[in-house]
């Protein structure tokens, strides 16, 4: 479970100070799903970075299961991230010279274990996103939607508690967008993940049961029971 208390993030640009997050209080239950929307520069990616421990707040606390990520040493934060948090970004960030299976295996390397076990788990993760027949394909041999599904498999192969996605459909056309959203929603349901996603897509935001709108660093939560 996430508990954010009075989180601020300020950046200094020359003489100006940007309040990317301004007193954010937020709770996300285990297994919950939150969609984050808002205007450009509103603070969406900054909020996701705080949740993922990719950056630290200027003040306030970001607790994941009672542990304040803001206070962990860099080494402990890296361990928490590797074990608990999967990331998916707009750009798929696959290594072009590695096959789908090898790309997914890279997520398991920091966790130790043997090569055969890594190969088996990567194949299983790719199968779960519908790419069991494409283990040996290079990214260049796959569509954008398929590449993003490889990235999702890579995020989930370590069986994280949390999946954080920053505009995962931003680089995709409509049919691939639906394909990727369907995979993400299936993974969320089947794996009991806590799933937080940033989107610019108003159709996706409209369908969200819980929506965080972030403007000028301030968050407003809307619950949509009908979604
Ligand atoms: N590393 C940084 N250094 C300076 N300013 C930054 C940095 N990262 C973000 N900002 C600023 O903080 C504010 C919030 O940025 P953020 O990227 O979180 O917004 P966003 O809602 O994700 O925007 P977009 O929709 O364009 O991705 C913006 O004014 C941005 O310019």
């Amino acid at each position: 479970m996430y508990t954010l208390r009075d989180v601020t993030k300020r950046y200094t640009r020359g003489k100006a100070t940007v309040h990317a997050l301004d007193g954010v209080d937020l709770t996300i239950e285990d297994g919950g799903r939150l969609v984050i929307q808002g205007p450009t520069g509103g603070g969406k990616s900054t909020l996701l970075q705080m949740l993922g421990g990719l950056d630290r707040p200027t003040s306030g606390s970001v607790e994941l299961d009672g542990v304040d990520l803001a206070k962990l040493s860099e080494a402990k934060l890296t361990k928490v991230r590797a074990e608990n948090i999967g990331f998916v970004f707009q750009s798929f960030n696959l290594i072009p010279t590695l096959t789908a299976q090898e790309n997914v295996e890279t997520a398991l390397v920091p966790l130790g274990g043997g090569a055969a076990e890594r190969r088996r788990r990567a194949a299983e993760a790719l199968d779960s996103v519908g790419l069991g027949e494409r283990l040996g394909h290079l990214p260049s041999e796959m569509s954008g939607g398929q590449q993003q599904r490889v990235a999702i498999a890579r995020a989930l192969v370590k069986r994280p508690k949390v999946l954080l996605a920053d505009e995962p459909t931003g680089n995709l056309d409509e049919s691939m967008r639906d394909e990727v959203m369907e995979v993400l929603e299936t993974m969320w349901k089947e794996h009991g993940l806590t799933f937080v996603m940033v989107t610019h897509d108003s159709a996706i935001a409209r369908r969200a049961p819980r929506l965080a709108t972030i403007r000028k660093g301030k968050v407003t939560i809307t619950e949509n029971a009908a979604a």
Side-chain angles (χ1 to χ4, degrees):
M1 175 178 170
Y2 273 112
T3 311
L4 277 64
R5 291 192 192 91
D6 202 12
V7 173
T8 64
K9 179 69 183 178
R10 290 187 210 107
Y11 295 106
T12 308
R13 250 196 256 133
K15 285 184 184 160
T17 301
V18 178
H19 294 262
L21 295 177
D22 188 5
V24 173
D25 292 310
L26 181 66
T27 303
I28 310 170
E29 300 289 342
D30 282 345
R33 179 166 52 146
L34 180 71
V35 171
I36 303 172
Q37 67 159 12
T40 295
K44 301 181 292 296
S45 296
T46 304
L47 178 57
L48 208 73
Q49 283 174 11
M50 298 298 139
L51 294 171
L54 294 173
D55 200 355
R56 294 172 195 269
T58 307
S59 63
S61 56
V62 181
E63 286 184 8
L64 175 59
D65 298 337
V67 175
D68 187 356
L69 303 184
K71 291 205 172 70
L72 292 180
S73 67
E74 208 48 56
K76 285 204 178 122
L77 192 55
T78 302
K79 188 165 185 288
V80 167
R81 268 200 312 261
E83 290 175 354
N84 298 291
I85 306 174
F87 295 94
V88 177
F89 296 99
Q90 180 171 356
S91 53
F92 322 124
N93 297 335
L94 300 178
I95 300 173
T97 52
L98 298 184
T99 65
Q101 189 172 18
E102 289 163 347
N103 265 286
V104 175
E105 282 176 46
T106 59
L108 295 173
V109 172
L111 303 180
E117 174 67 2
R118 283 204 292 273
R119 266 198 301 282
R120 188 192 65 72
R121 281 179 62 180
E124 195 180 274
L126 283 163
D127 197 39
S128 74
V129 298
L131 294 175
E133 308 292 310
R134 302 194 183 251
L135 305 184
H137 286 224
L138 292 170
S140 59
E141 296 167 329
M142 288 186 276
S143 70
Q146 287 169 340
Q147 289 183 60
Q148 191 60 301
R149 278 150 63 193
V150 174
I152 293 167
R154 181 181 55 189
L156 295 181
V157 69
K158 61 189 181 183
R159 303 185 189 118
K161 296 187 61 168
V162 177
L163 179 64
L164 302 178
D166 198 348
E167 299 202 40
T169 60
N171 271 344
L172 304 174
D173 69 23
E174 202 172 326
S175 70
M176 290 190 210
R177 182 193 73 184
D178 292 346
E179 164 193 318
V180 163
M181 279 312 297
E182 205 177 306
V183 167
L184 284 169
E185 279 169 23
T186 305
M187 294 293 113
W188 167 64
K189 282 187 197 134
E190 287 183 359
H191 295 264
L193 292 161
T194 303
F195 176 30
V196 184
M197 178 178 134
V198 168
T199 188
H200 267 123
D201 187 324
S202 52
I204 292 173
R206 265 198 308 278
R207 289 201 303 265
R210 190 162 183 248
L211 186 64
T213 303
I214 179 158
R215 279 195 187 85
K216 295 186 178 168
K218 290 191 184 291
V219 170
T220 314
I221 298 285
T222 317
E223 311 270 354
N224 180 3

